[in-house]
């Protein structure tokens, strides 16, 4: 069952979802994660009764999914079962389970872009109760609305030209968009005002340039040079969380670039038209990363970054050491793959 675009946000925010399963698919990694988190939170009413399954396990033993859907904990009245990277290989297994899924359990599938002929997509579109939600990159109008809504909430004033400049760098990924807007809010300081010069300044901030350099060196296998750059950043007082989150945004961008190449089959066109725009001196590095890093490797690196941020926030942790170890481990992913 399809949901109209203007109804999606209300559906995701509802605590009364009368559906056995939801398929969330598309090219916007951040928007997919945002909607999965929102749906899960509202359905479970903040409980943590969540089971994550992978496609390989389901293919090798379909009963795993059936068992998880039918078994409800005595300590919780609802349950969410999530399957990431869902594809047509498990379409028949999913179809068989949707019809018998109990009301106390919600099945959520997260997938990449699916063609109109996709078996999995057709199952959800034709089903009377199962829901399908597309997640495509925000257009110019949506980006402006997101900026306006967040700035209004934070009482930030921005002139029209500054807003247009900021919007031109956003849109490829919802998580990246919101993260960049949060940076703009911090940059506004106590005045809570942003001019076009302010926006220009933080977009080319030197710390960001050095983090870009760190990222490029790490993902192209130059670990010794990367170690020198991260030491320099830390000596300059750049917080570990800022480095980790910048790395996360960069990897999400790489993930989206690779997805766009699959759709358009033109690497140069995708790189030249990507948002936020890629600085011309970095384009060769990005091309190299596209060839060397698979989707699964990017996801593994994102998981390392997620765990690193969690560990950095723990009492008595050493954020700088954690960050250095994480950068090394990300570089080792590339070494192991080649």
């Amino acid at each position: 069952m399809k949901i109209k675009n203007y109804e999606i946000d209300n559906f995701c925010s509802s605590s009364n979802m009368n559906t056995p399963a939801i398929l969330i698919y598309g090219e916007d990694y951040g928007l997919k994660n945002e909607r999965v988190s929102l749906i899960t939170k509202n359905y479970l009413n903040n409980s943590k009764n969540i089971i994550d399954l992978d496609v390989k396990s389901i293919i090798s033993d379909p009963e795993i999914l059936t068992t998880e859907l039918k078994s409800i904990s005595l300590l919780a009245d609802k349950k969410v079962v999530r399957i990431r990277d869902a594809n047509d290989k498990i379409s028949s297994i999913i179809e068989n389970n949707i019809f018998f899924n109990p009301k106390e359990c919600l099945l959520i599938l997260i997938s990449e872009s699916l063609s109109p002929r996709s078996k999995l997509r057709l199952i959800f579109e034709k089903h009377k109760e199962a829901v399908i939600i597309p997640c495509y990159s925000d257009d110019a109008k949506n980006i402006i609305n997101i900026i306006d809504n967040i700035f209004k909430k934070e009482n930030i004033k921005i002139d029209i030209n500054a807003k247009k400049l900021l919007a031109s760098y956003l849109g490829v990924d919802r998580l990246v968009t919101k993260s960049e807007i949060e940076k703009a809010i911090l940059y506004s300081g106590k005045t809570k005002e942003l001019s076009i010069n302010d926006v220009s300044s933080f977009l080319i901030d030197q710390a960001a340039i050095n983090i870009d350099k760190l990222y490029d060196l790490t993902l192209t296998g130059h670990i010794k040079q990367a170690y020198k750059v991260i030491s320099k950043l830390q000596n300059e007082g750049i917080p570990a969380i800022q480095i980790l989150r910048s790395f996360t945004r960069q990897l999400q961008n790489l993930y989206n670039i690779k997805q766009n190449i699959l759709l358009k089959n033109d690497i140069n066109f995708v790189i030249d038209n990507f948002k936020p725009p890629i600085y011309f001196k970095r384009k060769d590095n990005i091309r190299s990363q596209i060839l060397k890093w698979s989707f699964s490797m990017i996801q593994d690196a994102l998981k390392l970054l997620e765990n690193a941020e969690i560990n950095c926030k723990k009492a008595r942790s050493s954020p700088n050491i954690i960050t250095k170890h994480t950068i090394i481990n990300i570089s080792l992913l590339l070494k192991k793959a080649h």
Side-chain angles (χ1 to χ4, degrees):
M1 176 176 66
K2 295 181 181 179
I3 293 183
K4 295 177 181 177
N5 285 338
Y6 66 85
E7 296 177 333
I8 292 177
D9 288 341
N10 287 336
F11 174 83
C12 294
S13 301
S14 172
S15 58
N16 185 26
M17 298 175 190
N18 189 23
T19 178
I22 302 172
L23 170 61
I24 299 176
Y25 76 98
E27 60 195 32
D28 193 320
Y29 182 90
L31 183 56
K32 285 189 292 186
N33 277 354
E34 180 181 286
R35 286 175 171 168
V36 169
S37 297
L38 189 58
I39 289 170
T40 302
K41 176 183 176 182
N42 289 317
Y43 180 80
L44 293 177
N45 194 23
N46 291 321
S47 76
K48 302 295 182 182
N49 195 15
I50 304 167
I51 300 295
D52 288 302
L53 299 177
D54 62 84
V55 171
K56 288 184 179 179
S57 298
I58 294 171
I59 291 174
S60 62
D61 184 7
E63 285 298 316
I64 291 177
L65 177 59
T66 304
T67 301
E68 287 296 348
L69 292 175
K70 291 183 177 180
S71 60
I72 305 297
S73 171
L74 296 175
L75 302 176
D77 57 354
K78 286 185 177 181
K79 177 181 183 179
V80 167
V81 176
R82 299 187 303 204
I83 305 172
R84 297 189 182 275
D85 301 319
N87 55 49
D88 285 348
K89 292 180 180 179
I90 59 170
S91 58
S92 59
I93 300 172
I94 297 300
E95 187 173 24
N96 291 336
N97 279 279
I98 286 179
F99 292 102
F100 304 104
N101 191 17
K103 293 182 179 180
E104 298 81 11
C105 186
L106 176 63
L107 175 62
I108 301 177
L109 285 78
I110 305 99
S111 180
E112 308 303 338
S113 294
L114 298 173
S115 72
R117 294 184 178 181
S118 163
K119 294 179 182 178
L120 194 60
R121 179 172 167 177
L122 289 172
I123 289 169
F124 277 79
E125 287 180 346
K126 293 178 180 179
H127 198 281
K128 293 182 179 180
E129 295 181 347
V131 171
I132 182 168
I133 299 176
C135 295
Y136 297 116
S137 299
D138 293 306
D139 58 22
K141 183 178 179 180
N142 283 343
I143 296 168
I144 293 295
N145 286 337
I146 293 169
I147 293 172
D148 286 341
N149 290 336
I150 295 177
F151 278 14
K152 182 178 180 181
K153 184 178 179 181
E154 299 294 333
N155 295 316
I156 304 295
K157 294 181 180 179
I158 183 170
D159 67 53
I160 186 64
N161 291 325
K163 188 192 298 184
K164 287 180 179 179
L165 176 61
L166 178 59
S168 70
Y169 275 76
L170 307 176
V172 70
D173 183 281
R174 179 67 67 87
L175 187 62
V176 175
T177 293
K178 288 191 171 181
S179 179
E180 293 299 314
I181 292 173
E182 287 172 3
K183 283 170 59 179
I185 291 171
L186 291 173
Y187 198 90
S188 69
K190 294 181 179 179
T191 65
K192 288 187 173 291
E193 293 183 0
L194 287 168
S195 66
I196 191 167
N197 289 333
D198 294 327
V199 173
S200 298
S201 295
F202 88 78
L203 287 175
I204 58 172
D205 180 77
Q206 186 59 45
I209 293 173
N210 284 332
I211 293 174
D212 286 349
K213 185 177 180 180
L214 171 64
Y215 169 85
D216 287 339
L217 288 169
T218 303
L219 266 70
T220 50
H222 298 89
I223 189 61
K224 290 184 179 179
Q225 295 96 315
Y227 197 86
K228 291 180 180 179
V229 174
I230 193 171
S231 297
K232 181 176 185 295
L233 286 166
Q234 291 177 341
N235 289 335
E236 291 172 352
I238 306 302
I241 296 297
Q242 181 180 341
I243 296 173
L244 293 171
R245 289 183 178 176
S246 295
F247 242 79
T248 297
R249 289 195 297 273
Q250 296 272 20
L251 281 166
Q252 287 167 345
N253 283 343
L254 180 61
Y255 192 97
N256 286 315
I257 289 171
K258 287 178 68 69
Q259 278 198 319
N260 288 340
I261 291 170
L262 289 177
L263 295 173
K264 297 181 173 62
N265 200 30
D266 188 335
I267 186 171
N268 291 323
F269 176 85
V270 171
I271 290 175
D272 290 339
N273 292 275
F274 192 74
K275 289 186 178 182
I278 298 170
Y279 186 47
F280 74 94
K281 289 186 177 181
R282 295 189 62 215
K283 289 185 177 181
D284 286 341
N285 283 329
I286 299 298
R287 288 188 181 91
S288 175
Q289 294 160 24
I290 291 167
L291 297 174
K292 291 180 178 180
W293 285 79
S294 66
F295 285 112
S296 61
M297 288 168 63
I298 295 172
Q299 289 174 331
D300 289 341
L302 287 169
K303 190 65 178 178
L304 287 173
L305 290 163
E306 180 182 358
N307 290 335
E309 182 167 343
I310 292 171
N311 290 330
C312 282
K313 294 176 180 178
K314 291 180 179 178
R316 299 180 182 178
S317 67
S318 300
N320 284 351
I321 294 175
I322 292 170
T323 303
K324 281 183 177 177
H325 286 172
T326 302
I327 299 304
I328 292 171
N329 287 335
I330 289 173
S331 184
L332 289 175
L333 289 175
L334 179 63
K335 187 175 181 180
K336 290 176 182 177
H338 298 278

